[in-house]
Amino acid sequence: MKKALVLLVVAAFAATVCVSVASAKMPSVVKYDTKLGTVTFDHGAHKSQGCKTCHHKGLSAGTCKDCHGVDDAAPSAKDAFHKQCKGCHKEMDKGPTKCRECHVK
């Protein structure tokens, strides 16, 4: 019983360290330049969604555009962002959903 408790505490600590390290590397704001203007993504405002919501290939997989728009099996970056971001904003009834609310010149 004592060994199980120690193992549980160690696992919880390791998970906390992993999340802290990932958060330390995470840029607070990411900007995407598009034809319609710059889209600014605030990581802090999206923490509650969990990293895997967007980083479905893992945190060290690179950038979205490494696959989206390159790999035929993945949707274009534009389609992926619009479906993921706008879909979530509409579902939660929170956040921008119109073009100029995200794309700022």
Side-chain angles (χ1 to χ4, degrees), residues 6-42:
V6 169
L7 185 59
L8 182 63
V9 169
V10 169
F13 176 74
T16 303
V17 168
C18 288
V19 169
S20 296
V21 169
S23 294
K25 293 180 181 179
M26 171 184 76
S28 60
V29 173
V30 178
K31 294 187 179 211
Y32 299 98
D33 291 322
T34 71
K35 292 177 186 176
L36 292 177
T38 302
V39 175
T40 301
F41 178 81
D42 182 350

Side-chain angles (χ1 to χ4, degrees), residues 42-102:
D42 182 350
H43 267 111
H46 295 85
K47 273 186 183 178
S48 65
Q49 301 306 308
C51 300
K52 286 193 175 191
T53 300
C54 297
H55 297 275
H56 58 97
K57 296 287 186 182
L59 294 174
S60 62
T63 68
C64 302
K65 291 185 178 183
D66 288 345
C67 294
H68 293 283
V70 177
D71 183 349
D72 289 339
S76 71
K78 177 184 174 182
D79 289 346
F81 291 149
H82 284 139
K83 181 179 179 188
Q84 180 76 18
C85 302
K86 283 175 61 176
C88 185
H89 288 176
K90 286 180 179 180
E91 183 180 308
M92 295 183 74
D93 196 26
K94 183 177 180 183
T97 58
K98 295 191 176 11
C99 300
R100 293 290 175 206
E101 292 174 334
C102 289

